[in-house]
Amino acid sequence: MNEQKAVAIIDSGVGGLTVAKEIMRQLPREKILYFGDNDRCPYGSRPADEIRTFSLQMIEYLYQYPVKALVIACNTAAAVVLEEVKELSSIPVLGVIEPGARAAISTSRTRRIGIIGTETTIRTSSYERALRRLNPNLYVSQLACPEFVPLVEKRLLHTPEARRIVEKTLAPLRYEELDTLILGCTHYPLLSSLIQEALGDEITLISSAEETARELSTLFSLDDLHACEQSSAPQHLFFTSGNKQIFQEIGEEWLDRELHVEQKDLAQAMQNK
Ligand code: DGL
């Protein structure tokens, strides 16, 4: 049993909140410590060494706190650093790519699966490899959508511009006869109604969040890491390297609760350590 240790979650920005939300739903007793590197978001089009450095900085920052597991709730970061961080860490480390691939395989009937993600996630073919490890006989179509993350981070979700960009970007997938589409970026579930509208109701959208939270829960059961029953709700803590108010607004709308958010200049915080 483990009472105070938190689940650490990182993302380049607010996208990992889609995973945090599902962890809060499935594991309501767990305390969450979240870092969103909004100041340097998006990661998706950055060189791999930069993505690595930034991700390791967030992880090092959160590892100063008592944490019992790390979720790299950013497909882009997971594609670059997951294996390395697993080796470096003494606590369990989860990514979002394997869980997303598993969820897609169990959903797809026709075995025609699409993947949308950032340029890095698509370029590394991380999902395609994860899918083919589970089932080599698939039709897989991949598409990078670099314009999606800024729509979320800049709070443009509910604008006609967002609808236009989503529709135009996804147009090449309309004739692929896919039955399942992996939202291979944790920001994309915030755009899911626009994505569904653009591709029609016949396609099932898969977010890694639910399966990732399930995997975390299984792992906690196996390792006896579940938090004990407590009299009060866990006090989650959210750090952002960007604008605190914007993070708070997006986070509170998405998670439907008040958030305790602190602004942290990550580079500075690491220097002062
Ligand atoms: N939310 C992230 C992902 O899942 C990264 C988006 C970005 O920073 O480009 O890939």
Side-chain angles (χ1 to χ4, degrees):
M1 285 290 198
N2 203 316
E3 245 178 304
Q4 323 87 349
K5 289 189 175 177
V7 176
I9 303 178
I10 62 156
D11 180 48
S12 61
V14 294
L17 293 175
T18 58
V19 180
K21 183 175 185 167
E22 197 54 39
I23 293 175
M24 287 175 184
R25 193 181 70 80
Q26 292 189 35
L27 298 164
R29 283 190 228 149
E30 301 299 338
K31 176 184 164 95
I32 287 173
L33 275 183
Y34 184 101
F35 207 110
D37 195 7
N38 302 70
D39 189 40
R40 300 184 289 197
C41 186
Y43 279 14
S45 311
R46 290 181 180 275
D49 60 339
E50 225 168 63
I51 296 168
R52 176 180 175 275
T53 304
F54 295 172
S55 306
L56 293 179
Q57 284 178 349
M58 282 192 281
I59 293 168
E60 204 181 330
Y61 184 77
L62 291 184
Y63 276 7
Q64 297 177 111
Y65 290 86
V67 290
K68 59 181 175 183
L70 168 70
V71 181
I72 302 183
C74 176
N75 295 267
T76 308
V80 175
V81 296
L82 179 66
E83 291 314 315
E84 179 182 351
V85 175
K86 273 185 178 174
E87 272 178 36
L88 290 174
S89 302
S90 53
I91 55 172
V93 179
L94 269 69
V96 279
I97 293 175
E98 294 283 341
R102 263 202 315 273
I105 294 279
S106 62
T107 302
S108 178
R109 297 282 154 261
T110 62
R111 300 205 207 110
R112 295 182 69 84
I113 300 178
I115 305 154
I116 55 174
T118 67
E119 282 166 306
T120 298
T121 302
I122 298 304
R123 194 185 53 243
T124 56
S125 290
S126 307
Y127 268 105
E128 181 165 6
R129 278 183 284 119
L131 286 168
R132 294 201 188 283
R133 273 196 295 275
L134 296 166
N135 183 345
N137 302 314
L138 299 168
Y139 173 80
V140 175
S141 177
Q142 304 196 72
L143 182 69
C145 306
E147 286 180 89
F148 285 11
V149 169
L151 293 176
V152 177
E153 291 284 328
K154 292 185 183 155
R155 304 215 67 193
L156 298 171
L157 278 181
H158 307 297
T159 62
E161 190 194 352
R163 169 167 288 112
R164 189 184 57 73
I165 289 176
V166 170
E167 212 167 282
K168 183 167 152 263
T169 309
L170 297 180
L173 295 182
R174 281 222 298 270
Y175 308 99
E176 295 256 22
E177 297 181 2
L178 308 168
D179 79 336
T180 303
L181 180 72
I182 299 177
L183 305 180
C185 170
T186 52
H187 281 72
Y188 296 176
L190 285 109
L191 288 162
S192 60
S193 53
L194 294 181
I195 295 171
Q196 194 82 65
E197 225 173 86
L199 294 177
D201 288 338
E202 307 77 50
I203 194 160
T204 305
L205 306 184
I206 301 289
S207 138
S208 305
E210 206 177 308
E211 186 68 20
T212 304
R214 199 170 302 130
E215 188 174 322
L216 190 66
S217 176
T218 308
L219 196 136
F220 281 1
S221 299
L222 288 172
D223 293 353
D224 194 18
L225 283 172
H226 282 290
C228 303
E229 183 87 64
Q230 276 156 48
S231 48
S232 54
Q235 303 292 305
H236 308 304
L237 184 51
F238 297 82
F239 298 105
T240 173
S241 61
N243 182 300
K244 177 179 154 167
Q245 195 185 333
I246 295 180
F247 186 98
Q248 189 134 18
E249 281 171 17
I250 299 175
E252 291 188 349
E253 182 184 335
W254 180 250
L255 297 173
D256 198 20
R257 65 176 75 200
E258 278 182 28
L259 301 188
H260 181 91
V261 183
E262 287 182 18
Q263 203 275 338
K264 279 278 166 249
D265 176 339
L266 199 49
Q268 184 78 37
M270 297 326 297
Q271 259 173 28
N272 294 344
K273 240 181 36 121

